[in-house]
Amino acid sequence: MALSTHFRGLILCDIDETLINADYKLTVSRETLCAVLQQALEAGFAVGLNSDTAIQALVARAHEFGMNGPLIGERGALLARNTTDTPAYTVATGQHLENTMKKILAQFVNHLLARGDCSLVFDGVGNITPVLEKDTPTSLPIRVFINNERRCSVGFWIRDINGGKPKKNPDTSQRIVDEFIKATQMVGVDINSLDIDNNPDYGICIVHHPDTQKSVAVQALLNSSPTTTVYMIGNSISDLLNHPSIVQCAVGNAKDAYKAQCSIVAKHTLSEGVVEIIQRIIREPN
């Protein structure tokens, strides 16, 4: 899957804690972000996304902001050239990986239903806020929202239902993650073969296979366009792509370990930092 040679360069942006905050909101106006993205397009850059998020959610974001570049989803497991392209696996074991995750998820659902204290919601949960807004109250004390758009990974949100209002609770999250671990073992998958990211700040758990990495998908893009310069904007070491054609960029709230590897480090955080970095990229000489 080649990059077009007529682009001046490619800008890829992470989403969580880079483009949006913990409440899944921009920290600049949508108009401000769209304006700077349009400036990048007019300057000859392609702009895309490189995230742990499901591809469908990335397509929606790209449409919203007017992005024209590649979309890398589920931590590099899937790659689409643009919003109309059919996503492709980036690893040879992609189909097997998808089948394995489906088996684990089915067993996990059985475990949760057997508890008797969980109600389940299946939705394309890339942003929990609108899902909660349309959710119907339940009498059961735990609500688990399962992202049914993921293919090569598993993602679910955990909320306590207290007086009808959903709240994050790290203890509850850990109990539900423990159920996921049991489900994984029940289908014969070694739990040590998975990367389980239980994030209590977001009340979410995302599970990936170690074979999937953001760098794998970018390498697939660059295989036939090795001289293309790619600017990767992120906030953590998982955004480090280790390729000579990559210019690493960090928003102001990025982890120090990631900032130390970056050529461009923004003074501003989150969306403001993304805008600052893109403006600096546009001003750089060819």
Side-chain angles (χ1 to χ4, degrees), residues 10 15 43 81 90 107 111 119 128 153 179 183 186 217 231 245:
L10 170 63
I15 293 183
R81 289 174 295 182
T90 62
Q107 188 65 43
H111 275 249
S119 59
I128 192 67
S153 60
E179 293 289 357
M186 285 287 290
Y231 299 85
S245 294

Side-chain angles (χ1 to χ4, degrees), residues 14-91:
D14 179 39
I15 293 183
D16 295 336
E17 297 183 270
T18 299
L19 189 59
I20 58 176
N21 62 18
D23 294 320
Y24 292 84
K25 295 179 180 179
L26 296 171
T27 58
V28 297
S29 69
R30 179 181 175 278
E31 291 73 19
T32 297
L33 177 63
C34 289
V36 77
L37 291 174
Q38 183 59 38
Q39 291 169 18
L41 301 186
E42 292 173 357
F45 291 93
V47 183
L49 297 167
N50 189 0
S51 173
D52 294 348
T53 304
I55 281 283
Q56 290 93 325
L58 298 185
V59 169
R61 290 280 187 186
H63 273 304
E64 178 185 0
F65 301 135
M67 296 178 174
N68 66 339
L71 306 174
I72 298 169
E74 297 189 45
R75 204 179 73 171
L78 295 165
L79 168 63
R81 289 174 295 182
N82 50 52
T83 57
T84 61
D85 186 42
T86 300
Y89 300 120
T90 62
V91 293

Side-chain angles (χ1 to χ4, degrees), residues 235-284:
N235 76 301
S236 70
I237 209 70
S238 67
D239 298 312
L240 185 62
L241 304 181
N242 293 316
H243 191 282
S245 294
I246 305 294
V247 178
Q248 297 291 157
C249 310
V251 287
N253 56 291
K255 303 292 189 298
D256 288 341
Y258 178 64
K259 285 182 178 180
Q261 303 293 326
C262 291
S263 302
I264 300 176
V265 178
K267 295 179 181 178
H268 297 92
T269 63
L270 299 163
S271 310
E272 291 177 285
V274 171
V275 168
E276 175 190 337
I277 290 168
I278 293 176
Q279 289 173 332
R280 289 175 62 177
I281 291 170
I282 293 171
R283 290 195 300 266
E284 284 191 350

Side-chain angles (χ1 to χ4, degrees), residues 158-190:
I158 309 102
R159 293 292 186 270
D160 275 351
I161 305 299
N162 186 358
K165 296 182 179 180
K167 295 182 179 180
K168 291 175 280 190
N169 183 327
D171 292 335
T172 301
S173 292
Q174 187 57 58
R175 291 200 299 272
I176 299 303
V177 170
D178 289 343
E179 293 289 357
F180 180 86
I181 292 172
K182 293 176 187 176
T184 300
Q185 294 167 334
M186 285 287 290
V187 298
V189 175
D190 180 4

